[in-house]
Amino acid sequence: MNMIYRDLGKSFTEWFDWVLEAAELYDYGRYPAKGMGIWLPYGFRLRDSILKVMRNLLDSTGHEEILLPLLIPDHILAKESEHIRGFEAQVYWVTHGGIEPLDVKLALRPTSETSLTYLESFWIKSYKQLPKKFYQVVSMFRYETKSTKPMIRVREVTTFKEAHTVHESFEDSERQVKEAIDIYRKFFDELGVPYIISKRPEWDKFAGAIYTIAFDTLMPDGKALQIGTVHNLGQNFTKVFEVRIQKRDESIDYAWQTSYGISERVVASVIAIHGDGRGLVLPFKLAPKQVVIVPIYSSDKDQRNKVLQYCEKVHSLIKQAGIRCYIDLRDEMRPGEKFYYWEIRGVPIRIDIGMREVERNEVTIVRRDTLMKEIMKLEELPEALVKVGTEIDENLKERAWNAFKSKVRRMDDVDKAAAALDQERGIVELPWCGNDECSETVSERLNADALGTPLSIDKEEIRGRKCPVCGNDAVTFMRYAKKY
Amino acid sequence: MNMIYRDLGKSFTEWFDWVLEAAELYDYGRYPAKGMGIWLPYGFRLRDSILKVMRNLLDSTGHEEILLPLLIPDHILAKESEHIRGFEAQVYWVTHGGIEPLDVKLALRPTSETSLTYLESFWIKSYKQLPKKFYQVVSMFRYETKSTKPMIRVREVTTFKEAHTVHESFEDSERQVKEAIDIYRKFFDELGVPYIISKRPEWDKFAGAIYTIAFDTLMPDGKALQIGTVHNLGQNFTKVFEVRIQKRDESIDYAWQTSYGISERVVASVIAIHGDGRGLVLPFKLAPKQVVIVPIYSSDKDQRNKVLQYCEKVHSLIKQAGIRCYIDLRDEMRPGEKFYYWEIRGVPIRIDIGMREVERNEVTIVRRDTLMKEIMKLEELPEALVKVGTEIDENLKERAWNAFKSKVRRMDDVDKAAAALDQERGIVELPWCGNDECSETVSERLNADALGTPLSIDKEEIRGRKCPVCGNDAVTFMRYAKKY
């Protein structure tokens, strides 16, 4: 099995394009505007399952869903100078309504810190209203000039979950950053997607933030994919939009903010990281169809009826337990074609039912993750399926983490790191003195990007280590990878 | 009660603006771009409840949810000539990416017939794939030059549910129109929103359709609000985008299409039609919070504890039954303030619990729709609440339909119709000969818009009636109302 899984790495891009099309997840490249994809029904439902996990985590931690306008007037977007400098090259502008030029140019939201903070200046007056935790799931737009890639680098990001919070003090905003990291950890753990959490270097933080924490995963080709970011915005936006609040001690001060986001890259990572040479492999908890029943019968009418009746019985038994189960009754397809059809679509458990199963009051199940068969007694259903579903999710998570860990390597020497990356792409960590130029030098020599530093390190880990460029004492590690 | 309800009519616009703000549903007028509102958490949840009803109806009738790009290249939007003529004055255009002008202008979707039909030309080849029923819930944009109004006439319609179907034959598309009408009937019946279904006059049909069927309701001020439309598109779009299919008889033909849509006007109608002088009145099945418990206690600590304990008991009993229940434990607010707070927000059932209730093992409930009190025994819960919830929904629906019916009047004479509309705004139906000019004359004399004709009429109803303008035999009725 591992072979199939590993084989992916060789031509990940081709495989990814193939699986999006073959599993009918996402249409890309046909639409006559660059960098814009279509969520097809099956892909839409997978996306929806993933968003449900996120919404549950946010709702249960006091976040409230809202919906803000897409269009941001230029004078609002430009109010925070760092922010607009970071985004201006990538903003789509609406300049005309009908044939009339507009008085004020309107940006398609590249993110919503500016428009929301503007509104918060009306809404929030007192510490009594705080903390406020808003989120929305919307399309956002970036006029990407680099080459685009389905779900991974698009011009319309259709699945932007952006959260925005407001606090009374810096300490409260720091606690919120921790909560956000914790929520994202739980989220990726639920999806079985491995990650490494880094504090992005100063030159790569979100435009307008004090600092940015990022979650990166590795795609099967060993390139790093940023799948989530958390920003402490300090008072940068509240100062320019004048969000003043009365504090507990009756003084007046600007409020403190954080923001954090994910996008459809999360869906891409679920597809890419769990998939294998035969197509999608979906975690049981996320699969739009968790179990598919394939009836197998000869041309004998009586046998056919018996098999189909038994299938219906098994189907209703499973459905009653709240499992998303589907019987594939298509007459024009042979069982082998159906196996192939559902394998590509990554359905976690297939149940094959023929006369043998009918006679013995059994079912034969085939796990998508291992392709292993197992016989189950009818009376063990549906509990046994739930158990297997849980095992599938654990197995997917474990094998994803194992593959990930083997590609994250801590080293002391740049040449050895370069050789290691040459042999197997992934992440290398090297001691760092804290000097930006040293990190730049390493980046160039490795032909890799600086992902950032660990959130915390044990003093013992770093003691005695030297920056491989200047030779000074290292204060932390810097991580490098080829980024998407 | 009816008094409060009817009083609304006098200053509906002020009331509507007030309730959106006071119930914290929707922020309008603060955002620095015209015609764009913000869904606040409570409004977002109400919108979500309503969308759930719609999604259930669509999913259970074989509709599949997808997501298409927002941006439509100008050459795609302009392909169907009637369509672009209908929309061109109202389209927002993206002309720049960063500081660069774009090679191809991109429209913010005013609706998605063009972009989807373009894609269907790749996706659909055979009758075996049909019918196809797609839908999406997205933002759409119209550069409205008329004065805007929150949720009712906006420039960003954030809750556009558009469905698009493809069929083998005209007959199949006609059946689909009937299914769509049936789905919308069930939808509005679930919301308790009354409606009248009309075939829009030729000059008011959707740009690019063969014909348009519309659902109109009446706002408390007697003005008609279009809340849903169903279009038979014939082959108008499939011909220009060349969606050719192989038919059952092996011939090749262009496919047939329908489309149908609703928007946040549906949310506006739920708010406006059920609301009263005290604020929102939400149907039990739609309310984000269905039951709110307000503890009432004196300053005596022991009493307070007893009341709060009993409240918790009642709360968990109700929650276990899957009812969305909330205890209002805010210490800084007196019970009277809480009553007022939840009344404005339209919570269907309030439960007041004081020492009297604790001692008698009872609860006192107050229905939002009638403001009537009722005592319930603890052991009757939660069933009794579900029963009252159902009664509330039936009552809201009935009183809305009664108010509606009293404002829809069939008449034979234009002067009398004018007088009737003068006395009480609403809809009048007059016999019509079928000549557009006669209808225009009536419109002018009534200072009202032609809504369209009934989908079917009994021959007996129309026999002997004359067009009030030309005096010729009438063939049907034409409906008139002042439209939003």
Side-chain angles (χ1 to χ4, degrees), chain A residues 27 30-33 36-42 44-45 47 55 64-73 75-76 88-102 104-106 108-109 115-116 118-119 122-123 132 134 139 141 143 145 155-156 158-159, chain B residues 27 30-33 36-42 44-45 47 55 64-73 75-76 88-102 104-106 108-109 115-116 118-119 122-123 132 134 139 141 143 145 155-156 158-159:
Chain A
D27 189 286
R30 291 207 179 89
Y31 194 73
M36 290 165 198
I38 293 99
W39 290 93
L40 299 174
Y42 195 60
F44 189 89
R45 289 177 63 197
R47 169 183 181 271
R55 283 193 164 102
E64 298 179 298
E65 191 163 359
I66 58 171
L67 191 50
L68 296 169
L70 169 73
L71 301 174
I72 305 179
H75 54 94
I76 298 291
E88 64 192 346
Q90 296 199 314
V91 171
Y92 277 104
W93 290 104
V94 177
T95 59
H96 286 74
I99 50 166
E100 288 175 51
L102 298 176
V104 174
K105 278 198 306 180
L106 300 168
L108 303 193
R109 75 164 79 78
S115 54
L116 181 55
Y118 175 85
L119 289 160
F122 298 101
W123 297 344
K132 268 285 169 202
F134 295 119
S139 277
F141 292 81
Y143 181 62
T145 47
R155 289 180 169 186
E156 177 176 10
T158 58
T159 315
Chain B
D27 188 286
R30 289 205 181 91
Y31 194 73
M36 290 164 199
I38 291 99
W39 290 93
L40 299 173
Y42 195 60
F44 189 89
R45 288 177 63 197
R47 170 184 181 272
R55 284 193 164 104
E64 298 179 298
E65 191 162 359
I66 59 172
L67 192 50
L68 297 168
L70 169 73
L71 300 174
I72 305 179
H75 55 94
I76 298 290
E88 64 193 345
Q90 296 198 312
V91 171
Y92 278 104
W93 291 104
V94 176
T95 59
H96 286 72
I99 51 165
E100 288 176 48
L102 298 176
V104 174
K105 277 197 306 181
L106 301 168
L108 303 193
R109 77 165 76 78
S115 54
L116 181 55
Y118 175 84
L119 288 161
F122 298 101
W123 296 344
K132 267 283 169 206
F134 295 119
S139 276
F141 292 81
Y143 181 63
T145 46
R155 290 180 168 184
E156 176 175 12
T158 57
T159 316

